Amino acid sequence: MNTASHAPRRARHVRVPAFAPVAVRARVDGWTPARQAAFLGALAETGSVEAAARKVGMARETAYRLRRRPGAGSFAAAWDAVIGKRSGAKRKVTVDERVQRAFQGLLKVRMYGGRHVATEHKADNRALLAQLAHVRRSARGRGGGGRS
């Protein structure tokens, strides 16, 4: 008897990276930031875009459309990380995304035992500091921020 086929299957523990939600027009039945986080959590649980979209009350096609929207880079990167797609290069954060992260923060999907259990809002201090440095450099370039 082959014991390898009877070995208990290890739970798939997928880490969902913190992400900046895609900015969309506010609609109760739309892709709210909470629904985006729940989708990524469900995607980590199921491994299926269709099942994850269904679980959050959305259609598979709208999930792909959301992923392709301008400003969806962080969401798409989190999606890729969840399904195990690796890109060779580190993703560049755009200026618009950095501003959004600095002032609105990130969403962190919490998983426990392979299940989405919570979503928390987290400040992105790195983006805030980078934005402040950018503002200071810009002010110095215009002649207003030099040292005496």
Side-chain angles (χ1 to χ4, degrees), residues 3 8 23 30 44 48 81 117 139:
T3 57
S48 163
V117 294

Side-chain angles (χ1 to χ4, degrees), residues 50-131:
E50 185 171 359
R54 193 175 332 114
K55 190 168 186 174
V56 299
M58 300 300 282
R60 174 184 168 276
E61 295 78 19
T62 65
Y64 280 106
R65 210 169 20 242
L66 178 70
R67 180 188 166 93
R68 289 189 303 266
R69 284 181 68 112
S74 181
F75 176 76
W79 179 330
D80 288 346
V82 166
I83 62 172
K85 191 185 271 185
R86 306 238 189 270
S87 70
K90 186 171 171 122
R91 187 178 79 81
K92 289 272 243 184
V93 175
T94 65
V95 173
D96 290 341
E97 183 182 336
R98 185 181 67 218
V99 170
Q100 179 188 1
R101 286 176 167 217
F103 294 105
Q104 295 174 354
L106 301 171
L107 292 180
K108 177 66 181 158
V109 176
R110 293 286 176 199
M111 305 293 290
Y112 183 77
R115 298 273 182 233
H116 174 215
V117 294
T119 300
E120 69 182 52
H121 183 262
K122 123 182 197 178
D124 189 346
N125 294 332
R126 180 179 291 167
L128 181 58
L129 291 172
Q131 186 61 24

